[in-house]
Amino acid sequence: MENLISLWQSTGIYNFTGGQAFMMLVGFLLLFLAIKKGFEPLLLLPIGFGAILSNIPVAGIAEEGGLLYYLYFGIKAGIFPLLIFMGVGAMTDFGPMIANPKTLLLGAAAQFGIFASLLGALALNAIPGLEFTLKDAAAIGIIGGADGPTAIYVASKLSPDLLGAIAVAAYSYMALVPLIQPPIMRALTTEDERKIEMKQMRAVSKAEKIVFPLMLLLLSILLLPSATPLIGMFALGNLMNASGVVERLSQTAQNELINIVTIFLGLSVGSKLNAHAFLQIETLGILALGACAFAIGTASGVIMAKIMNRFSDTPINPLIGAAGVSAVPMAARVANKLGLESNPHNFLLMHAMGPNVAGVIGSAVAAGVLLSLVK
Amino acid sequence: MENLISLWQSTGIYNFTGGQAFMMLVGFLLLFLAIKKGFEPLLLLPIGFGAILSNIPVAGIAEEGGLLYYLYFGIKAGIFPLLIFMGVGAMTDFGPMIANPKTLLLGAAAQFGIFASLLGALALNAIPGLEFTLKDAAAIGIIGGADGPTAIYVASKLSPDLLGAIAVAAYSYMALVPLIQPPIMRALTTEDERKIEMKQMRAVSKAEKIVFPLMLLLLSILLLPSATPLIGMFALGNLMNASGVVERLSQTAQNELINIVTIFLGLSVGSKLNAHAFLQIETLGILALGACAFAIGTASGVIMAKIMNRFSDTPINPLIGAAGVSAVPMAARVANKLGLESNPHNFLLMHAMGPNVAGVIGSAVAAGVLLSLVK
Amino acid sequence: MENLISLWQSTGIYNFTGGQAFMMLVGFLLLFLAIKKGFEPLLLLPIGFGAILSNIPVAGIAEEGGLLYYLYFGIKAGIFPLLIFMGVGAMTDFGPMIANPKTLLLGAAAQFGIFASLLGALALNAIPGLEFTLKDAAAIGIIGGADGPTAIYVASKLSPDLLGAIAVAAYSYMALVPLIQPPIMRALTTEDERKIEMKQMRAVSKAEKIVFPLMLLLLSILLLPSATPLIGMFALGNLMNASGVVERLSQTAQNELINIVTIFLGLSVGSKLNAHAFLQIETLGILALGACAFAIGTASGVIMAKIMNRFSDTPINPLIGAAGVSAVPMAARVANKLGLESNPHNFLLMHAMGPNVAGVIGSAVAAGVLLSLVK
Amino acid sequence: MSELMGSGVELMFVGMGIVFLFLTMLVIAINLMSSLVQRFFPEAPATTLVVPVVTSTIDKQTVAAITAALHQYRNKQK
Amino acid sequence: MSELMGSGVELMFVGMGIVFLFLTMLVIAINLMSSLVQRFFPEAPATTLVVPVVTSTIDKQTVAAITAALHQYRNKQK
Amino acid sequence: MSELMGSGVELMFVGMGIVFLFLTMLVIAINLMSSLVQRFFPEAPATTLVVPVVTSTIDKQTVAAITAALHQYRNKQK
Ligand code: NA
Ligand code: NA
Ligand code: NA
């Protein structure tokens, strides 16, 4: 009898708090978005599942001694995002960017979304109840980088309490890029601009692809050491792939290693989706600011492309400016799709890959600035 | 000269204790069973090798600073069994069970082996020299679950000293399922019963396979949170596979990740096969109780199937009840083999897979009960 | 303005020390050797990259809290070299050695390079400014073992400060084997000796290949427990492969697991290439001694083969003695190449694989002696 | 000791009770879920992969080609 | 609060400045590097792998054979 | 210093002694083992896998089919 009572008192039904139930619903919602809607399933499925597991009463899966507690160390120490960045680096082809380097400037312009939403976060402090510190604001702003591992890395350093909401916002909006970007792109361009065909790219030699990651690393070492963990691991992965001499390491970095780390990272991010940290008015602010960040980044990229078009002798289709937010490769695909709508012979995909990967570098640079100046 | 003496005094021959020598023989025996007899080689080979390595005098491979000492952390923290459970979940097809849900009851009945051997362990305390606590008895009972990761997880929480013997017993008896089960199954069924053909299963839709792991998790959250680490990771693996949206994660969980963890887990379990903990009269008790647990579980499953047959309109071949002990997929194969002996047109394999995977759930539930009530 | 100044003061340019800049150049040199010259790229690429990352000012990637700091734990605890040794064991075929066991003596003789350079290191203490302890000398000597994981394992235990230089020397000289060995081999053999054809090997049965790793382990347990971590993990990998019953574990050990660990190990070794430890006169000594070690080992192997030839009834081509240094499989290929030069019908590759893998065992044994006697 | 056995017996009853309760509720839940899914998402049932076993009817050369290609592919993967 | 906004605005200008500075220098560096590489290492450009998509023109039996072989191969791998 | 060299010389003799002792015993053990295995488990020697290299004699279409199938297979794997 005692046993039965103690068993009843150990059931989930008996111990549930409203917050836990709500956060579990959030977890199920993320699973729904991942599975049914196809929103970034590689991340949102483990994150959603981690949210459910960590909100189970009594079980303590995210508390000291639980599985998610141990896995979370990989985020706290910055190990997981950096390993993912290495894998992403190994998957990235910088060819289109090297063929047309000035598209890098589009990747620079799109980072305005980061700093604009940082300001936005500070402005929201006017609302009673919201109190974002400069660190919080910086971590929120990085959502505008549209790059998951960078956002998680920065948030884990500057504002671990907001990590869950920031990661969820970053991946959700990345999945929403095909919905968020087109109206902005259409509003800022004329039909004629969208019709612009870009001239075919030159082929990029293997030597250039090998030298590039080293050059990128060197520049980052000289100018912005605080960005070198991110840029360094990215360059390492890229070099492993481009050099062609360590094919088996490159394959492992791109496949098994990144898959294992993705599972662990997703679950650990999910473990930060607890009621205490997530069910705050701050979260609404973060979600709103994240959407703005993406929109502003997109707009900045497009406007920058229009400005460059005025001064450049070779034409640039402004649509590819929107790809500068990163969100590889969705943003480049969106640019390609809109280009085809206006001109069925206009394949922008390769041209948009340049600003797209430049956006990854741009947000890593922005992350470095934030990590070194926001104390 | 001094060097030679100090070298001689550092040889294994000089330092061997009888216990170490004996445990090394146990290790070699496990290797023999794994390699020559094909007994669960994926686990018994690393376990046997771990047993040898950890009993080497002087080397201290299982002592602080040694490799097996570090690897063992993955068991102590419960990480390895849970990751294996995720991989097993990704490999499991719940289709046959969803098509014929009442076979779940067979998986429930077969867990009687767990509780019967728990009682048996307590009864053995009557023998002078044996002193099993309730925790020990629960950890021993779980051998009857016929599920390796569950047994290791429970033993590591309740009775880490007995972990080595329990894991060895669990995997050895799982390998012996084709020998242990048939006589019991034949004794409890008539030739006519064994001839029963079961009607063909309906096809199960993808949606059902996606919803099932979530439903399983939800039920476990509501009723038995203490089982959610096990059931949660199992459901996660299953959902990754069934949803089809994270194929690369599912493949990694089923292959490289589970392989790596299997090597580490096997070696660390082996490191618990030291003379001090293993060469006790308790170990004989554990081996005896483990055999009983399997036999009783098998019998309970068969009897349950006979009872259900009396009340069901669709016929159930009692042989598939024996598959309820789990030991996936050997137990299902045994049922299939015995069915074919009596009726060459009777393919029970798919029908036996239902209770077989139900047995995995059943023993995870039983594990949850033990973990929450045995303090 | 303050921000700009603080940003300038956080740039790499502002903070660079000469030592860091120099070590970075060393890192780039290693990358050049790996990528352009094909010198052991699997190790030298990650090591070189690790050297660059760890010498970035301000970033602190190799300092407490940085990625390389965490990864280095895998070396400090001896985990990484042992896992690599397991993978190498799984890739090794002992068939040629079992078919012709006396080639083991060639693998023994070539270890003279280890002890000769150990003495050399102590002799260098005569030079003012150099002060190698016995531990340092032993760690330097192990470079002569021509086996990367063994060298790293021993250096991490005996002389962690010299680890970076030792690992770099070991892998660099292994890559240089095709340049270092031929002149020595030619100088010590006559044209007639190099023409000697060896009789075809017998086929080795699967049972022999399964028993061998266990026998090797047993001998090491009885005689030299201090070598059992290395020999044990090597034997485990070999047994996993030879037994054929755990194919999936063997494949993972040979591929994904060893690849992941190789990336981590290389980066962590690189993190020991810091100015403080590397830019010492000791490093020059280590590089010089390493070259001697390889040369002496090669010579000892060849001379031993000539001695054995005098007493043996079946002819031995002295060239295969050079393969005894290990450096699998380059040294065996060198022997094969020189054999073909003298006699176009003389394929020595398989015959050289015997001493080649014997050299791995030999240096693990020598490592065991050093680890147990040098305190 | 007797008290310990008492705990054990109680644990057995409670434990088997929970196991049956849990799995019975799962049976009910599956039945409910299946009927809901079949009513509201009447998708075509997932057909199991059928692997044609036709190797015997294919000439040896083709099989050899595939083997060689697989081998090359496999080596390239490493 | 106003001070905080001030820091934010400053951070925005400095941050965007650095981002543009960094990427502009990267543009210059790439242009320099490309011209150097093309002058001193004028290798043939890396051609991308072309995979022939000819499945439709191949008789069914061959495809079945390949499927079976792949399946066997895959099972052997595990 | 001289003492250190003495330790080194001793280490050299002991070390090479152990290495030779160990490997010599291994030679003896292997010989013993091989003769025992060959007497008591006289199994057929393990033949090495022979991969037929016949690609050249197979028409191009087949190879293209395999390439395409492998590509699909590979993509599916990821
Ligand atoms: Na970005
Ligand atoms: Na079970
Ligand atoms: Na060696």
Side-chain angles (χ1 to χ4, degrees):
Chain A
M1 197 54 211
E2 240 178 89
N3 260 346
L4 278 181
I5 290 170
S6 108
L7 203 68
W8 164 245
Q9 287 174 346
S10 75
T11 60
I13 308 173
Y14 184 88
N15 286 284
F16 250 114
T17 67
Q20 288 170 327
F22 186 86
M23 289 314 296
M24 241 177 236
L25 282 182
V26 172
F28 280 106
L29 174 68
L30 292 176
L31 292 182
F32 174 79
L33 293 176
I35 295 172
K36 192 74 184 173
K37 296 288 172 193
F39 277 21
E40 294 277 331
L42 291 174
L43 264 300
L44 288 190
L45 191 148
I47 291 178
F49 216 95
I52 298 172
L53 291 182
S54 63
N55 282 290
I56 298 174
V58 186
I61 302 180
E63 282 155 38
E64 194 165 345
L67 179 65
L68 298 189
Y69 172 84
Y70 292 115
L71 291 183
Y72 187 71
F73 178 78
I75 287 192
K76 204 164 70 182
I79 297 171
F80 290 163
L82 292 180
L83 292 180
I84 289 196
F85 228 51
M86 177 174 71
V88 172
M91 290 185 218
T92 299
D93 177 11
F94 278 115
M97 200 185 81
I98 298 172
N100 195 5
K102 66 183 175 227
T103 57
L104 272 163
L105 299 180
L106 301 173
Q111 306 316 317
F112 187 61
I114 293 177
F115 297 98
S117 49
L118 186 160
L119 274 192
L122 295 178
L124 281 187
N125 280 345
I127 299 172
L130 276 179
E131 276 198 52
F132 291 124
T133 64
L134 195 56
K135 283 184 170 186
D136 293 339
I140 294 168
I142 203 71
I143 299 175
D147 186 274
T150 300
I152 291 170
Y153 186 78
V154 170
S156 72
K157 302 276 175 196
L158 294 182
S159 188
D161 277 351
L162 301 181
L163 175 64
I166 287 172
V168 165
Y171 282 105
S172 304
Y173 289 127
M174 277 163 67
L176 288 172
V177 150
L179 297 179
I180 296 176
Q181 290 198 318
I184 300 165
M185 293 160 77
R186 287 205 189 89
L188 291 174
T189 53
T190 66
E191 177 75 11
D192 277 349
E193 284 173 331
R194 292 198 292 274
K195 277 190 176 151
I196 296 176
E197 290 188 27
M198 294 181 66
K199 79 167 204 222
Q200 177 142 22
M201 275 179 207
R202 71 172 179 91
V204 170
S205 71
K206 196 184 163 192
E208 289 170 89
K209 289 192 185 176
I210 294 176
V211 175
F212 175 74
L214 294 172
M215 220 173 62
L216 171 64
L217 176 61
L218 201 60
L219 203 60
S220 162
I221 290 170
L222 294 176
L223 291 188
L224 201 58
S226 55
T228 49
L230 282 167
I231 288 184
M233 292 308 281
F234 192 77
L236 170 59
N238 195 250
L239 182 67
M240 291 201 301
N241 188 42
S243 68
V245 293
V246 290
E247 190 57 22
R248 57 183 291 165
L249 302 187
S250 166
Q251 285 301 324
T252 294
Q254 288 176 50
N255 293 293
E256 291 80 20
L257 182 53
I258 203 176
N259 290 348
I260 292 171
V261 175
T262 299
I263 296 174
F264 291 173
L265 176 121
L267 287 173
S268 345
V269 166
S271 77
K272 281 280 147 178
L273 289 179
N274 51 58
H276 173 70
F278 194 86
L279 290 184
Q280 304 287 340
I281 186 170
E282 277 88 350
T283 299
L284 291 178
I286 290 170
L287 291 174
L289 288 166
C292 295
F294 268 65
I296 294 172
T298 303
S300 318
V302 173
I303 291 167
M304 183 74 191
K306 293 178 70 159
I307 295 172
M308 283 170 65
N309 223 354
R310 203 159 295 176
F311 297 96
S312 166
D313 37 343
T314 54
I316 296 174
N317 188 316
L319 291 173
I320 70 167
V325 294
S326 26
V328 186
M330 285 90 67
R333 284 195 199 136
V334 167
N336 187 55
K337 188 160 160 270
L338 263 73
L340 285 174
E341 278 174 18
S342 298
N343 174 353
H345 301 293
N346 201 2
F347 294 94
L348 292 174
L349 190 63
M350 271 300 118
H351 298 285
M353 285 311 293
N356 212 187
V357 297
V360 177
I361 299 175
S363 42
V365 170
V369 173
L370 297 175
L371 288 173
S372 93
L373 291 187
V374 179
K375 297 258 161 68
Chain B
M1 197 53 213
E2 240 178 273
N3 258 347
L4 278 182
I5 290 170
S6 106
L7 203 68
W8 163 246
Q9 286 174 347
S10 75
T11 60
I13 308 173
Y14 183 88
N15 286 285
F16 250 114
T17 66
Q20 288 170 328
F22 185 86
M23 288 315 295
M24 241 178 236
L25 282 181
V26 171
F28 279 106
L29 173 69
L30 291 177
L31 291 183
F32 174 80
L33 294 176
I35 296 172
K36 192 75 185 173
K37 297 288 172 194
F39 277 20
E40 293 277 330
L42 290 175
L43 264 300
L44 288 191
L45 192 148
I47 291 179
F49 216 95
I52 297 173
L53 290 182
S54 63
N55 282 289
I56 298 174
V58 186
I61 302 179
E63 282 155 37
E64 194 165 344
L67 179 66
L68 298 189
Y69 172 84
Y70 291 115
L71 291 184
Y72 187 71
F73 179 78
I75 287 193
K76 203 164 70 183
I79 298 171
F80 290 164
L82 292 180
L83 291 181
I84 290 196
F85 228 50
M86 176 174 72
V88 172
M91 291 185 217
T92 299
D93 177 11
F94 279 115
M97 200 184 82
I98 298 172
N100 195 4
K102 66 182 175 227
T103 57
L104 272 164
L105 299 180
L106 301 173
Q111 306 316 317
F112 187 61
I114 293 177
F115 296 99
S117 49
L118 186 161
L119 273 192
L122 296 178
L124 280 188
N125 279 346
I127 299 172
L130 276 179
E131 277 199 52
F132 291 125
T133 64
L134 195 57
K135 283 184 171 188
D136 295 338
I140 294 168
I142 203 71
I143 298 174
D147 187 274
T150 300
I152 291 171
Y153 186 77
V154 171
S156 74
K157 301 276 175 196
L158 294 182
S159 189
D161 277 352
L162 301 182
L163 175 65
I166 288 171
V168 166
Y171 283 105
S172 303
Y173 290 127
M174 277 162 68
L176 288 173
V177 150
L179 297 180
I180 296 175
Q181 289 197 319
I184 300 165
M185 293 159 77
R186 287 205 190 89
L188 292 174
T189 53
T190 65
E191 178 74 11
D192 277 350
E193 284 173 330
R194 292 197 292 274
K195 277 189 175 151
I196 296 175
E197 289 190 27
M198 295 181 67
K199 81 165 202 221
Q200 178 145 19
M201 275 179 207
R202 72 172 177 92
V204 171
S205 71
K206 197 184 164 193
E208 287 170 271
K209 289 192 185 175
I210 294 177
V211 174
F212 176 74
L214 294 172
M215 220 175 61
L216 172 64
L217 176 62
L218 202 59
L219 202 60
S220 162
I221 291 171
L222 294 176
L223 291 188
L224 201 58
S226 55
T228 48
L230 282 166
I231 287 183
M233 292 307 282
F234 192 76
L236 170 59
N238 194 250
L239 182 68
M240 291 201 300
N241 188 44
S243 69
V245 293
V246 290
E247 189 58 22
R248 56 183 291 164
L249 302 187
S250 167
Q251 285 300 324
T252 294
Q254 289 176 50
N255 293 293
E256 292 79 19
L257 182 53
I258 203 176
N259 290 347
I260 292 172
V261 176
T262 299
I263 296 174
F264 292 173
L265 176 121
L267 287 173
S268 343
V269 166
S271 78
K272 282 279 148 179
L273 288 180
N274 51 58
H276 173 69
F278 194 86
L279 291 185
Q280 305 286 340
I281 186 170
E282 275 89 350
T283 300
L284 290 178
I286 291 170
L287 291 174
L289 289 165
C292 295
F294 269 64
I296 296 172
T298 304
S300 319
V302 173
I303 292 167
M304 183 73 191
K306 292 178 70 159
I307 295 171
M308 283 170 66
N309 224 355
R310 203 158 295 176
F311 298 96
S312 166
D313 37 341
T314 53
I316 295 176
N317 188 315
L319 292 174
I320 71 167
V325 294
S326 24
V328 184
M330 285 90 66
R333 284 197 198 133
V334 167
N336 188 55
K337 189 161 159 269
L338 264 73
L340 285 174
E341 278 174 17
S342 298
N343 174 352
H345 301 294
N346 200 2
F347 294 95
L348 293 173
L349 189 64
M350 271 301 118
H351 298 284
M353 285 311 293
N356 212 188
V357 298
V360 177
I361 299 174
S363 41
V365 171
V369 173
L370 296 176
L371 288 172
S372 94
L373 290 187
V374 179
K375 296 257 162 70
Chain C
M1 198 54 213
E2 241 177 89
N3 259 346
L4 277 181
I5 291 170
S6 107
L7 203 67
W8 162 246
Q9 287 174 347
S10 75
T11 60
I13 307 173
Y14 183 88
N15 286 285
F16 251 114
T17 68
Q20 289 170 326
F22 186 86
M23 289 314 296
M24 242 178 237
L25 283 182
V26 172
F28 279 106
L29 174 68
L30 292 176
L31 291 182
F32 174 79
L33 294 176
I35 295 172
K36 192 74 184 174
K37 297 286 171 195
F39 278 20
E40 293 277 331
L42 291 174
L43 264 301
L44 289 190
L45 192 148
I47 291 178
F49 216 95
I52 297 172
L53 291 182
S54 63
N55 282 289
I56 298 173
V58 186
I61 302 179
E63 281 155 39
E64 194 164 346
L67 179 65
L68 298 189
Y69 172 84
Y70 291 116
L71 291 183
Y72 187 71
F73 179 78
I75 287 192
K76 204 164 70 182
I79 298 171
F80 290 163
L82 293 180
L83 292 181
I84 289 197
F85 228 49
M86 177 174 71
V88 173
M91 290 186 218
T92 298
D93 177 10
F94 279 116
M97 200 185 82
I98 297 172
N100 194 5
K102 65 181 176 230
T103 57
L104 272 164
L105 299 180
L106 302 174
Q111 307 316 318
F112 187 61
I114 293 177
F115 296 99
S117 48
L118 186 161
L119 272 192
L122 295 179
L124 281 188
N125 279 346
I127 299 171
L130 277 179
E131 277 198 53
F132 290 124
T133 64
L134 195 57
K135 283 183 171 189
D136 294 338
I140 294 168
I142 203 72
I143 299 174
D147 186 275
T150 300
I152 291 170
Y153 186 78
V154 170
S156 74
K157 301 277 175 195
L158 294 182
S159 189
D161 277 350
L162 301 181
L163 175 66
I166 287 171
V168 166
Y171 283 105
S172 303
Y173 290 127
M174 276 163 68
L176 288 172
V177 150
L179 297 179
I180 297 175
Q181 290 197 320
I184 300 165
M185 293 160 77
R186 288 205 189 88
L188 291 174
T189 53
T190 65
E191 178 73 12
D192 277 350
E193 283 173 331
R194 293 196 293 273
K195 277 189 176 152
I196 295 176
E197 290 190 27
M198 294 182 67
K199 81 166 202 223
Q200 177 143 22
M201 275 179 206
R202 72 173 178 92
V204 171
S205 71
K206 197 185 162 192
E208 288 171 87
K209 289 191 186 178
I210 294 177
V211 174
F212 175 75
L214 293 172
M215 219 174 61
L216 172 64
L217 176 61
L218 202 59
L219 202 61
S220 162
I221 291 171
L222 294 177
L223 292 188
L224 200 59
S226 55
T228 49
L230 282 167
I231 287 183
M233 291 308 281
F234 192 77
L236 170 60
N238 194 250
L239 182 67
M240 292 200 301
N241 188 42
S243 69
V245 293
V246 290
E247 189 57 23
R248 57 184 290 163
L249 302 187
S250 167
Q251 286 301 323
T252 294
Q254 289 176 49
N255 292 295
E256 292 79 21
L257 181 54
I258 203 175
N259 290 348
I260 292 172
V261 175
T262 299
I263 296 174
F264 292 173
L265 176 121
L267 286 173
S268 343
V269 167
S271 78
K272 281 281 148 178
L273 289 179
N274 50 58
H276 173 70
F278 194 86
L279 291 184
Q280 304 286 340
I281 186 170
E282 276 89 349
T283 301
L284 291 178
I286 291 170
L287 291 173
L289 289 165
C292 295
F294 269 65
I296 294 173
T298 303
S300 318
V302 173
I303 291 168
M304 183 72 191
K306 292 179 71 160
I307 295 172
M308 283 169 66
N309 224 355
R310 203 159 294 176
F311 297 96
S312 166
D313 38 342
T314 53
I316 296 175
N317 188 314
L319 292 174
I320 71 168
V325 294
S326 27
V328 186
M330 287 89 67
R333 284 195 199 136
V334 168
N336 188 54
K337 190 161 159 268
L338 264 73
L340 286 175
E341 278 173 17
S342 298
N343 174 353
H345 301 294
N346 200 3
F347 292 94
L348 292 173
L349 190 63
M350 270 301 119
H351 299 285
M353 286 310 293
N356 213 187
V357 297
V360 177
I361 299 175
S363 40
V365 171
V369 173
L370 297 176
L371 288 172
S372 94
L373 291 187
V374 179
K375 297 256 161 71
Chain D
M1 175 62 166
S2 176
E3 195 194 337
L4 196 61
M5 275 305 277
S7 306
V9 172
E10 193 183 340
L11 198 56
M12 185 180 80
F13 282 106
V14 172
M16 282 309 288
I18 301 288
V19 169
F20 266 104
L21 176 69
F22 191 100
L23 294 193
T24 307
M25 290 187 66
L26 200 54
V27 172
I28 298 166
I30 291 176
N31 283 327
L32 196 72
M33 182 267 287
S34 287
S35 63
L36 285 177
V37 164
Q38 279 163 12
R39 185 173 316 163
F40 297 106
F41 307 95
E43 65 184 287
T47 51
T48 47
L49 264 170
V50 176
V51 177
V53 183
V54 291
T55 321
S56 57
T57 65
I58 292 163
D59 62 304
K60 273 191 175 170
Q61 215 189 29
T62 309
V63 172
I66 293 160
T67 314
L70 276 172
H71 200 259
Q72 283 175 10
Y73 170 77
R74 188 183 178 182
N75 286 345
K76 258 193 352 212
Q77 290 299 84
K78 287 180 187 169
Chain E
M1 175 61 168
S2 175
E3 196 194 335
L4 195 61
M5 275 305 277
S7 306
V9 172
E10 194 183 342
L11 197 56
M12 184 180 80
F13 283 105
V14 173
M16 281 310 287
I18 302 288
V19 169
F20 266 104
L21 176 69
F22 191 100
L23 294 194
T24 307
M25 291 187 66
L26 200 54
V27 172
I28 297 167
I30 291 176
N31 282 327
L32 197 72
M33 181 268 284
S34 287
S35 62
L36 286 176
V37 164
Q38 279 165 11
R39 186 174 315 163
F40 297 106
F41 307 95
E43 63 186 285
T47 51
T48 47
L49 266 169
V50 176
V51 177
V53 183
V54 289
T55 322
S56 57
T57 67
I58 292 162
D59 64 304
K60 273 190 175 172
Q61 215 190 28
T62 309
V63 172
I66 293 159
T67 314
L70 275 172
H71 201 259
Q72 284 176 8
Y73 169 77
R74 191 183 177 182
N75 286 347
K76 259 194 350 215
Q77 290 299 85
K78 285 180 187 170
Chain F
M1 173 64 166
S2 175
E3 195 194 337
L4 196 61
M5 275 305 276
S7 306
V9 172
E10 193 183 341
L11 197 56
M12 185 181 81
F13 282 106
V14 173
M16 282 309 287
I18 301 287
V19 169
F20 266 104
L21 177 69
F22 190 100
L23 294 194
T24 307
M25 291 186 67
L26 200 54
V27 172
I28 297 167
I30 291 176
N31 282 327
L32 196 73
M33 181 268 284
S34 287
S35 63
L36 286 177
V37 164
Q38 279 165 11
R39 187 173 315 164
F40 297 106
F41 307 94
E43 64 186 287
T47 52
T48 46
L49 265 169
V50 177
V51 177
V53 182
V54 289
T55 321
S56 58
T57 65
I58 293 162
D59 63 304
K60 273 191 175 170
Q61 217 191 28
T62 310
V63 172
I66 293 160
T67 314
L70 276 172
H71 201 257
Q72 284 175 8
Y73 171 77
R74 190 183 178 181
N75 286 346
K76 259 193 350 210
Q77 291 297 85
K78 287 181 185 167

